[in-house]
């Protein structure tokens, strides 16, 4: 039996691109109920050790007690590079990525692709 990829994934825009700045930017939280893993990805305009992404997780749907997911820091090695994190079987239900901007940089849109959905056909609306 053939399965289409889109029957088992959900793609969500979790943060629209931002103009250059130095503030840290959290993405929208995603609910991992019904999924085994997620890939977050987007672009950082300026490569710098202070410009990176990292994941946070929480059991609170409001994100009131978010904690950093150890080992999740990814630094862009080149200007405009796509940076990504693949988190498989997270310990907590709610996840987000934070974009750390230690030096002034713009960001592109950031997306989450949740995969191995256990619910069959998944709406991407």
């Amino acid at each position: 039996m053939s399965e289409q990829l889109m029957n088992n994934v959900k793609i969500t825009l979790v943060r629209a691109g931002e103009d250059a700045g130095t503030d840290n930017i959290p993405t929208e939280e995603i609910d991992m109920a019904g999924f085994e893993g997620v890939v977050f990805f987007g672009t950082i305009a300026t490569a710098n050790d202070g410009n990176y992404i990292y994941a946070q997780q929480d059991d609170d749907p409001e994100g009131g007690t978010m904690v950093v997911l150890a080992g999740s820091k990814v630094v862009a090695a080149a200007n405009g590079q796509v940076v990504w994190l693949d988190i498989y079987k997270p310990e907590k239900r709610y996840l987000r990525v934070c974009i750390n901007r230690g030096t002034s940089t713009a960001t592109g849109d950031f997306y989450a692709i949740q995969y191995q959905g256990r619910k069959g056909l998944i709406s991407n609306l």
Side-chain angles (χ1 to χ4, degrees):
M1 183 169 135
S2 147
E3 283 192 47
Q4 294 178 327
L5 174 65
M6 296 312 295
N7 288 344
N8 296 301
V9 302
K10 181 179 180 183
I11 302 170
T12 306
L13 173 66
V14 290
R15 185 70 187 208
E18 294 275 336
D19 292 335
T22 57
D23 54 328
N24 295 335
I25 307 167
T27 66
E28 175 185 324
E29 294 171 25
I30 58 164
D31 183 349
M32 291 299 296
F35 294 94
E36 294 293 315
V38 61
V39 174
F40 289 99
F41 68 94
T43 58
I44 296 177
T46 306
N48 181 284
D49 287 343
N51 296 337
Y52 56 87
I53 63 171
Y54 61 93
Q56 291 183 315
Q57 59 182 350
D58 200 341
D59 284 324
D60 176 5
E62 300 299 319
T65 54
M66 282 283 180
V67 295
V68 174
L69 185 60
S72 66
K73 180 179 174 182
V74 177
V75 180
N79 291 346
Q81 178 184 19
V82 173
V83 289
W84 58 274
L85 281 169
D86 187 349
I87 303 165
Y88 186 67
K89 293 190 176 181
E91 296 172 4
K92 300 191 182 283
R93 180 172 171 175
Y94 300 94
L95 297 173
R96 72 179 178 196
V97 163
C98 290
I99 307 159
N100 189 79
R101 301 192 298 178
T103 61
S104 184
T105 190
T107 66
D109 291 345
F110 271 76
Y111 290 88
I113 301 176
Q114 293 169 273
Y115 59 87
Q116 290 184 352
R118 296 185 292 267
K119 296 180 183 176
L121 291 175
I122 296 167
S123 172
N124 278 291
L125 301 177

